[in-house]
Amino acid sequence: LLVLLAEVEHRLGNNEATTALRAILRDRLTRRSEGALPEHLELTVVVQRGTELVVRGELDAAAEQARHALSMIDLGSWSSSRDALRFEDLLVAMDIVSIADKLMYAGDFSESRRVSQRVLERLPSADPRAAPVRARCLGQMAVCEVIDGARFAAGELALEAIALCRFHHQDPIDLGYAELAALVACRQVDRPALHAALEERISQIDIPPISCLVELLRSWSYVQTGELPRARRLLASAERTRATLGQPGMLDLLARRVAAIVELGHDEAVLSEREVAVLSLLAAGYSRRSAAEHLHLSLNTIKTYARLAYRTLGVTTLEAAAERCDVLGIELVAPTEASETVVADSSLENHGAG
């Protein structure tokens, strides 16, 4: 019961109550340390330590605790009772989802998705008691996909999580992840309503990493609707919050990406497929002439595509263009096969697009 109360208070943003309950829990566990603790409580103690590190903004250290917790369970064989969801199953599932959360904040998206997917596969989908845990899994996976640039996949996951909570008449704080992802990834959602709901929730939560994530993704969403003053205000607030974190983890990556999107004033179809192809060849060391031969285009056409790409990205050099693409998540894929027409011509590769 102490574990559950601490988890509830944490999700409500009541940090003082959460800390007090965890202190009582640690005291109880210390008193009975002569006997072996149940496995699910040993796991909970480690996960709770990681949660305290997240609250303090020490995201890398929290991820290390999460990996330690992950080593304590056999994720490959873990499963809940399919017929009757046991109390221990819910506790372990909540802990595993919390592990995925910490890995996400540290920027380990692939591992976070893998852990969340395991919970989704093993919790009974028909049991309403599992709905909040499943919703959080889906929401966390959606946020990972948004930051990774897979917006279609993020939208599908976010909408599934939102529908799951509404079907079971639940509106847990975990739904916030799905709402955040939906703001950026979906066009068919009620954005003003989502912004209002998130504002209400964030006013009750004094956890800097969560506040920063919410502000960054809301800023990104406002760029999409052309509300740049709001986007800039939220970005500035997020940057101030991020500056207070000792280990900002994936928030650094997200902040750089959102800052670039706000500067551009849009995030839709930043570069055309052909512009990406031209930049990929130039970044791989092709001269403009050899890039033209490789793509079966004229030299003037290559110059035009390069000029348009530079203008769209707001840069004047190839190096700056490559850096901006990296920040925006635009992958410049080098040709898979070598070409005899590649030549080293620094006079062509290291100047602006003029």
Side-chain angles (χ1 to χ4, degrees):
L1 287 174
L2 282 169
V3 171
L4 283 176
L5 282 171
E7 183 70 17
V8 168
E9 295 292 355
H10 169 62
R11 296 188 187 196
L12 290 175
N14 299 332
N15 292 339
E16 290 185 8
T18 305
T19 302
L21 285 165
R22 286 175 181 156
I24 295 171
L25 177 62
R26 279 195 297 271
D27 180 61
R28 296 285 176 88
L29 294 176
T30 301
R31 289 185 193 180
R32 54 180 293 179
S33 59
E34 295 179 0
L37 288 173
E39 287 185 7
H40 63 271
L41 283 184
E42 290 182 351
L43 178 66
T44 296
V45 170
V46 176
V47 172
Q48 297 274 358
R49 289 184 193 134
T51 300
E52 291 171 6
L53 290 168
V54 170
V55 172
R56 296 206 299 264
E58 300 176 33
L59 302 184
D60 291 342
E64 286 305 309
Q65 283 290 316
R67 293 188 181 95
H68 173 45
L70 204 56
S71 70
M72 297 171 65
I73 57 176
D74 184 355
L75 198 61
S77 62
W78 174 80
S79 66
S80 65
S81 172
R82 306 297 291 184
D83 299 325
L85 190 61
R86 299 170 300 177
F87 175 71
E88 301 95 295
D89 294 333
L90 270 178
L91 280 180
V92 173
M94 286 162 53
D95 283 336
I96 296 174
V97 173
S98 189
I99 289 170
D101 183 58
K102 292 163 183 58
L103 294 172
M104 178 186 76
Y105 274 101
D108 193 346
F109 300 132
S110 60
E111 184 69 353
S112 177
R113 283 191 293 256
R114 184 183 76 85
V115 173
S116 293
Q117 186 62 48
R118 186 65 183 174
V119 176
L120 285 176
E121 291 171 353
R122 293 308 176 105
L123 276 181
S125 58
D127 194 319
R129 292 173 298 171
V133 181
R134 292 177 60 81
R136 183 169 180 182
C137 283
L138 291 164
Q140 286 176 185
M141 292 169 68
V143 170
C144 288
E145 296 291 0
V146 164
I147 301 172
D148 257 359
R151 293 231 294 250
F152 178 79
E156 294 290 308
L157 290 166
L159 291 177
E160 185 179 350
I162 291 172
L164 178 65
C165 287
R166 288 176 179 167
F167 178 78
H168 289 287
H169 306 291
Q170 297 178 25
D171 188 25
I173 194 67
D174 302 329
L175 182 57
Y177 282 125
E179 292 170 333
L180 276 173
L183 274 175
V184 177
C186 304
R187 295 294 176 269
Q188 63 268 45
V189 294
D190 185 348
R191 291 180 183 231
L194 291 184
H195 280 298
L198 287 164
E199 280 184 2
E200 181 179 354
R201 287 199 183 96
I202 205 64
S203 67
Q204 303 170 8
I205 299 175
D206 184 24
I207 303 176
I210 295 178
S211 301
C212 188
L213 177 65
V214 171
E215 289 170 335
L216 286 171
L217 290 182
R218 288 185 65 209
S219 175
W220 188 347
S221 173
Y222 278 129
V223 172
Q224 294 174 340
T225 55
E227 300 173 78
L228 294 182
R230 283 185 171 181
R232 293 190 185 100
R233 283 197 297 272
L234 280 168
L235 175 61
S237 178
E239 291 287 13
R240 288 192 294 272
T241 304
R242 188 170 63 100
T244 67
L245 303 179
Q247 300 167 336
M250 65 90 174
L251 296 172
D252 264 344
L253 166 66
L254 181 58
R256 287 188 293 116
R257 182 161 299 172
V258 173
I261 290 168
V262 170
E263 184 181 342
L264 288 173
H266 63 88
D267 76 333
E268 294 297 340
V270 173
L271 295 179
S272 70
E273 185 177 338
R274 186 65 81 184
E275 288 166 351
V276 171
V278 169
L279 284 184
S280 296
L281 289 170
L282 298 180
Y286 282 63
S287 70
R288 293 184 179 180
R289 188 175 300 281
S290 58
E293 293 175 0
H294 187 89
L295 295 174
H296 307 291
L297 298 171
S298 71
L299 179 58
N300 283 336
T301 300
I302 293 295
K303 289 181 178 179
T304 298
Y305 278 127
R307 183 171 60 251
L308 290 172
Y310 284 19
R311 182 184 301 165
T312 299
L313 295 171
V315 299
T316 58
T317 66
L318 177 60
E319 182 180 8
E323 290 178 357
R324 179 59 64 85
C325 285
D326 181 57
V327 168
L328 291 170
I330 301 171
E331 189 175 6
L332 300 181
V333 182
T336 55
E337 56 184 22
S339 170
E340 296 181 357
T341 60
V342 177
V343 294
D345 190 344
S346 60
S347 65
L348 287 174
E349 297 308 315
N350 296 316
H351 65 68

